[in-house]
Amino acid sequence: MEHATNRDDSGYPVFVESFDSDSRYRRVRLRGVGCEPLEKEEFAPRVRQIFPGIDLDDPDQVHWADRPGQWPTWHPGEA
């Protein structure tokens, strides 16, 4: 089975992959760019850099594999 991060054919401009509680990042596929690990604070600025007019609340533009809008808990100083 092919791992989702190797694909860029979701049909969505932005596809946020499954929640991983062991990381402070979520892998985000940006159509035409590839897949990037992004922290909560990086998500909106990066997405808007690639897609300036995107509506982050539109599920046809931004698809979450699970837990929409949620990010793993991480505290400064953790690896």
Side-chain angles (χ1 to χ4, degrees):
M1 180 177 171
E2 184 177 344
H3 191 271
T5 57
N6 295 330
R7 297 173 46 202
D8 195 20
D9 62 355
S10 67
Y12 300 97
V14 178
F15 185 93
V16 183
E17 294 191 5
S18 297
F19 190 91
D20 180 359
S21 61
D22 294 334
S23 171
R24 69 183 191 210
Y25 305 101
R26 287 192 73 161
R27 293 189 59 82
V28 179
R29 282 188 272 154
L30 303 165
R31 189 172 55 205
V33 175
C35 192
E36 300 180 8
L38 297 175
E39 295 180 10
K40 180 178 183 177
E41 294 77 16
E42 299 172 315
F43 177 71
R46 179 63 175 143
V47 169
R48 288 199 171 108
Q49 179 184 25
I50 304 300
F51 304 106
I54 197 162
D55 178 354
L56 296 174
D57 297 318
D58 181 351
D60 290 331
Q61 296 180 50
V62 179
H63 179 79
W64 297 77
D66 61 3
R67 302 186 193 188
Q70 293 184 25
W71 297 85
T73 302
W74 178 81
H75 304 284
E78 291 180 348

